[in-house]
Every structure is written in C-alpha cells, then in structure tokens.
Amino acid sequence: VQLQASGGGLVQAGGSLRLSCAASGRTFTGNTMGWFRQAPGKEREFVAAISWSGGSTYYADSVKGRFTISRNNAKNTVYLQMNSVKPEDTAVYYCAARSLIGWYRGVSESEYGYWGQGTLVTVSS
C-alpha cells in the first residue's frame, strides 16, 4: 500500500498550490483521509481531513478559509488546494489514511495508519 504525495514546490506568499495524494495497492473505501504538515523544527500537525463521501470536512484553524481538501474516489486521490499561502505554511506536507472505516473529525495522528512520504512546500515572503 502506497500513498504518493506530489505537487509541492516554491510559491510566493499570497499564491496558490495544489497537492495531490494518490493511493495504490488498495482503495480506502470508507476511510477518512487527511493531510498533516511538519515545519522545520516543529512537530507534525493536523491540517485537514475529509470523509469517504466528501460530504464532511474538518480543518485546522490556521488554514480554515484558505485551504480546501477534496477527493476523487474513482481516481483514488485526495487533494489539498492551498490558496493565499503564507510563509508560516512552509512545511513538509503528508497525506494519510485513517486505519478504521468511518468519519473521524479529529487531529490525532494515531488514528491514521497509512502515510505518504511527504512533499515539501516552501512559501517565500
């Protein structure tokens, strides 16, 4: 099972970027998918999560109104649209799949059993 994150890069403050996370080896039918990030020298933190249907989403306060999580189950892919980015959004972004089926509206990493390798986003001021 692999989660392959892509789409990171260098972007100016105020700009936009879209991250993708493609799953292979299995489908995550019924699983909550999430994005986390880890800035230099800091612990990994929750960013956003989405239910299997896409009908439920949950965001960290720091990204609410700027980032949008979505998923295309036919393509087994989750996206993170990042708008109005700020220098403090600079981090390695990880996608993850929750181990259990069902919607999880929370921030705990321990709920997620499958992780991608991360993609670096750098926001210049």
Side-chain angles (χ1 to χ4, degrees), residues 46-119:
F46 170 81
V47 175
I50 187 167
S51 62
W52 163 251
S53 69
S56 297
T57 56
Y58 184 54
Y59 296 92
D61 287 344
S62 58
V63 306
K64 202 174 297 182
R66 299 188 298 121
F67 291 9
T68 302
I69 188 171
S70 61
R71 66 192 295 172
N72 183 329
N73 293 328
K75 295 185 177 181
N76 224 12
T77 302
V78 179
Y79 305 96
L80 185 69
Q81 178 66 43
M82 306 168 61
N83 296 331
S84 302
V85 295
K86 304 174 182 179
E88 51 263 44
D89 294 322
T90 294
V92 176
Y93 283 73
Y94 299 88
C95 62
R98 187 181 181 224
S99 302
L100 299 177
I101 291 175
W103 169 231
Y104 172 64
R105 190 177 183 275
V107 304
S108 175
E109 289 186 31
S110 63
E111 288 287 330
Y112 292 82
Y114 304 90
W115 291 85
Q117 86 291 358
T119 185

Side-chain angles (χ1 to χ4, degrees), residues 13-35:
S16 297
L17 207 60
R18 189 175 84 153
L19 307 184
S20 299
C21 174
S24 61
R26 63 160 285 180
T27 58
F28 289 99
T29 304
N31 297 76
T32 296
M33 300 292 293
W35 286 95

